[in-house]
Amino acid sequence: MAKIRIKPNENIDDIATQLAQAGITVDKHRLAPNTYRIYIRKENMQRFSDFINSLNQQ
């Protein structure tokens, strides 16, 4: 389990769709403003890390 924080102008449904392609499940119940819980299977940790790194380079 991890938490993600999205930008205020981003749509959680779009983010969830992108993460699902990497095998990551988003709990759409908001924890705090623009913060959500995600679940990552152990075998998908490297895919998740690669995905986040690619977002940070944009």
Side-chain angles (χ1 to χ4, degrees):
M1 178 180 67
K3 288 191 252 180
I4 59 169
R5 182 172 286 152
I6 64 173
K7 296 176 184 175
N9 62 339
E10 291 181 317
N11 183 317
I12 189 60
D13 292 322
D14 294 339
I15 299 296
T17 300
Q18 291 175 0
L19 291 174
Q21 294 173 6
I24 298 157
T25 303
V26 176
D27 179 352
K28 294 181 185 176
H29 175 74
R30 189 178 313 173
L31 300 174
N34 303 317
T35 304
Y36 298 87
R37 182 178 293 127
I38 60 173
Y39 299 94
I40 308 159
R41 290 181 167 222
K42 193 173 189 176
E43 62 267 16
N44 291 334
M45 288 301 291
Q46 186 59 49
R47 287 172 55 188
F48 173 70
S49 178
D50 294 344
F51 178 80
I52 295 300
N53 288 336
S54 71
L55 291 178
N56 288 333
Q57 292 175 0
Q58 292 180 2

